[in-house]
PDB file of all heavy atoms in Angstrom:
ATOM      1  N   TYR A1078      24.629 161.096  87.713  1.00  0.00           N
ATOM      2  CA  TYR A1078      23.779 162.223  88.106  1.00  0.00           C
ATOM      3  C   TYR A1078      24.032 163.433  87.211  1.00  0.00           C
ATOM      4  O   TYR A1078      23.087 164.049  86.696  1.00  0.00           O
ATOM      5  CB  TYR A1078      24.040 162.583  89.564  1.00  0.00           C
ATOM      6  CG  TYR A1078      23.275 163.807  90.016  1.00  0.00           C
ATOM      7  CD1 TYR A1078      21.914 163.733  90.300  1.00  0.00           C
ATOM      8  CD2 TYR A1078      23.892 165.047  90.119  1.00  0.00           C
ATOM      9  CE1 TYR A1078      21.201 164.857  90.689  1.00  0.00           C
ATOM     10  CE2 TYR A1078      23.188 166.179  90.508  1.00  0.00           C
ATOM     11  CZ  TYR A1078      21.851 166.068  90.788  1.00  0.00           C
ATOM     12  OH  TYR A1078      21.153 167.186  91.149  1.00  0.00           O
ATOM     13  N   SER A1079      25.294 163.777  87.030  1.00  0.00           N
ATOM     14  CA  SER A1079      25.614 164.957  86.218  1.00  0.00           C
ATOM     15  C   SER A1079      25.226 164.741  84.761  1.00  0.00           C
ATOM     16  O   SER A1079      24.714 165.650  84.101  1.00  0.00           O
ATOM     17  CB  SER A1079      27.112 165.282  86.321  1.00  0.00           C
ATOM     18  OG  SER A1079      27.415 165.793  87.591  1.00  0.00           O
ATOM     19  N   PHE A1080      25.464 163.526  84.246  1.00  0.00           N
ATOM     20  CA  PHE A1080      25.102 163.247  82.852  1.00  0.00           C
ATOM     21  C   PHE A1080      23.591 163.319  82.660  1.00  0.00           C
ATOM     22  O   PHE A1080      23.108 163.896  81.677  1.00  0.00           O
ATOM     23  CB  PHE A1080      25.618 161.864  82.442  1.00  0.00           C
ATOM     24  CG  PHE A1080      25.267 161.498  81.026  1.00  0.00           C
ATOM     25  CD1 PHE A1080      26.035 161.969  79.966  1.00  0.00           C
ATOM     26  CD2 PHE A1080      24.151 160.730  80.741  1.00  0.00           C
ATOM     27  CE1 PHE A1080      25.697 161.664  78.660  1.00  0.00           C
ATOM     28  CE2 PHE A1080      23.802 160.418  79.431  1.00  0.00           C
ATOM     29  CZ  PHE A1080      24.580 160.883  78.394  1.00  0.00           C
ATOM     30  N   ALA A1081      22.848 162.745  83.604  1.00  0.00           N
ATOM     31  CA  ALA A1081      21.385 162.768  83.490  1.00  0.00           C
ATOM     32  C   ALA A1081      20.870 164.208  83.529  1.00  0.00           C
ATOM     33  O   ALA A1081      19.943 164.565  82.785  1.00  0.00           O
ATOM     34  CB  ALA A1081      20.765 161.954  84.632  1.00  0.00           C
ATOM     35  N   PHE A1082      21.464 165.044  84.372  1.00  0.00           N
ATOM     36  CA  PHE A1082      21.057 166.452  84.447  1.00  0.00           C
ATOM     37  C   PHE A1082      21.280 167.131  83.100  1.00  0.00           C
ATOM     38  O   PHE A1082      20.388 167.807  82.571  1.00  0.00           O
ATOM     39  CB  PHE A1082      21.859 167.163  85.538  1.00  0.00           C
ATOM     40  CG  PHE A1082      21.462 168.600  85.749  1.00  0.00           C
ATOM     41  CD1 PHE A1082      20.592 168.948  86.769  1.00  0.00           C
ATOM     42  CD2 PHE A1082      21.943 169.612  84.923  1.00  0.00           C
ATOM     43  CE1 PHE A1082      20.206 170.275  86.953  1.00  0.00           C
ATOM     44  CE2 PHE A1082      21.573 170.926  85.104  1.00  0.00           C
ATOM     45  CZ  PHE A1082      20.694 171.260  86.125  1.00  0.00           C
ATOM     46  N   CYS A1083      22.473 166.948  82.540  1.00  0.00           N
ATOM     47  CA  CYS A1083      22.802 167.613  81.262  1.00  0.00           C
ATOM     48  C   CYS A1083      21.931 167.077  80.121  1.00  0.00           C
ATOM     49  O   CYS A1083      21.465 167.846  79.280  1.00  0.00           O
ATOM     50  CB  CYS A1083      24.283 167.409  80.933  1.00  0.00           C
ATOM     51  SG  CYS A1083      25.399 168.188  82.114  1.00  0.00           S
ATOM     52  N   ALA A1084      21.720 165.758  80.107  1.00  0.00           N
ATOM     53  CA  ALA A1084      20.885 165.170  79.051  1.00  0.00           C
ATOM     54  C   ALA A1084      19.461 165.717  79.143  1.00  0.00           C
ATOM     55  O   ALA A1084      18.851 166.078  78.127  1.00  0.00           O
ATOM     56  CB  ALA A1084      20.883 163.651  79.187  1.00  0.00           C
ATOM     57  N   SER A1085      18.946 165.800  80.364  1.00  0.00           N
ATOM     58  CA  SER A1085      17.596 166.331  80.563  1.00  0.00           C
ATOM     59  C   SER A1085      17.515 167.781  80.105  1.00  0.00           C
ATOM     60  O   SER A1085      16.552 168.194  79.449  1.00  0.00           O
ATOM     61  CB  SER A1085      17.232 166.207  82.044  1.00  0.00           C
ATOM     62  OG  SER A1085      15.941 166.695  82.276  1.00  0.00           O
ATOM     63  N   HIS A1086      18.555 168.571  80.419  1.00  0.00           N
ATOM     64  CA  HIS A1086      18.567 169.986  80.019  1.00  0.00           C
ATOM     65  C   HIS A1086      18.648 170.130  78.505  1.00  0.00           C
ATOM     66  O   HIS A1086      17.868 170.877  77.896  1.00  0.00           O
ATOM     67  CB  HIS A1086      19.755 170.684  80.675  1.00  0.00           C
ATOM     68  CG  HIS A1086      19.972 172.088  80.195  1.00  0.00           C
ATOM     69  ND1 HIS A1086      19.236 173.154  80.654  1.00  0.00           N
ATOM     70  CD2 HIS A1086      20.829 172.603  79.260  1.00  0.00           C
ATOM     71  CE1 HIS A1086      19.621 174.261  80.040  1.00  0.00           C
ATOM     72  NE2 HIS A1086      20.598 173.948  79.193  1.00  0.00           N
ATOM     73  N   VAL A1087      19.568 169.409  77.898  1.00  0.00           N
ATOM     74  CA  VAL A1087      19.788 169.552  76.442  1.00  0.00           C
ATOM     75  C   VAL A1087      18.544 169.125  75.662  1.00  0.00           C
ATOM     76  O   VAL A1087      18.245 169.690  74.611  1.00  0.00           O
ATOM     77  CB  VAL A1087      21.034 168.741  76.018  1.00  0.00           C
ATOM     78  CG1 VAL A1087      21.107 168.603  74.513  1.00  0.00           C
ATOM     79  CG2 VAL A1087      22.297 169.406  76.544  1.00  0.00           C
ATOM     80  N   HIS A1088      17.819 168.142  76.196  1.00  0.00           N
ATOM     81  CA  HIS A1088      16.620 167.672  75.492  1.00  0.00           C
ATOM     82  C   HIS A1088      15.356 168.410  75.937  1.00  0.00           C
ATOM     83  O   HIS A1088      14.241 167.979  75.630  1.00  0.00           O
ATOM     84  CB  HIS A1088      16.459 166.165  75.684  1.00  0.00           C
ATOM     85  CG  HIS A1088      17.526 165.361  75.004  1.00  0.00           C
ATOM     86  ND1 HIS A1088      18.576 164.787  75.676  1.00  0.00           N
ATOM     87  CD2 HIS A1088      17.724 165.076  73.687  1.00  0.00           C
ATOM     88  CE1 HIS A1088      19.359 164.161  74.818  1.00  0.00           C
ATOM     89  NE2 HIS A1088      18.876 164.328  73.604  1.00  0.00           N
ATOM     90  N   GLY A1089      15.538 169.509  76.684  1.00  0.00           N
ATOM     91  CA  GLY A1089      14.425 170.410  76.961  1.00  0.00           C
ATOM     92  C   GLY A1089      13.532 170.029  78.112  1.00  0.00           C
ATOM     93  O   GLY A1089      12.387 170.489  78.183  1.00  0.00           O
ATOM     94  N   ASN A1090      14.006 169.218  79.052  1.00  0.00           N
ATOM     95  CA  ASN A1090      13.146 168.791  80.160  1.00  0.00           C
ATOM     96  C   ASN A1090      13.236 169.675  81.401  1.00  0.00           C
ATOM     97  O   ASN A1090      12.616 169.395  82.410  1.00  0.00           O
ATOM     98  CB  ASN A1090      13.473 167.342  80.560  1.00  0.00           C
ATOM     99  CG  ASN A1090      12.741 166.360  79.674  1.00  0.00           C
ATOM    100  OD1 ASN A1090      12.446 166.664  78.534  1.00  0.00           O
ATOM    101  ND2 ASN A1090      12.467 165.180  80.185  1.00  0.00           N
ATOM    102  N   ARG A1091      14.068 170.710  81.349  1.00  0.00           N
ATOM    103  CA  ARG A1091      14.169 171.725  82.412  1.00  0.00           C
ATOM    104  C   ARG A1091      14.380 171.135  83.802  1.00  0.00           C
ATOM    105  O   ARG A1091      13.525 171.282  84.685  1.00  0.00           O
ATOM    106  CB  ARG A1091      12.912 172.591  82.435  1.00  0.00           C
ATOM    107  CG  ARG A1091      12.628 173.280  81.128  1.00  0.00           C
ATOM    108  CD  ARG A1091      11.499 174.265  81.276  1.00  0.00           C
ATOM    109  NE  ARG A1091      11.258 174.996  80.039  1.00  0.00           N
ATOM    110  CZ  ARG A1091      10.710 176.197  79.982  1.00  0.00           C
ATOM    111  NH1 ARG A1091      10.356 176.805  81.094  1.00  0.00           N
ATOM    112  NH2 ARG A1091      10.526 176.800  78.833  1.00  0.00           N
TER     113      ARG A1091
END
Side-chain angles (χ1 to χ4, degrees):
Y1078 176 76
S1079 289
F1080 179 82
F1082 183 98
C1083 296
S1085 180
H1086 172 80
V1087 167
H1088 292 103
N1090 276 28
R1091 303 188 177 205

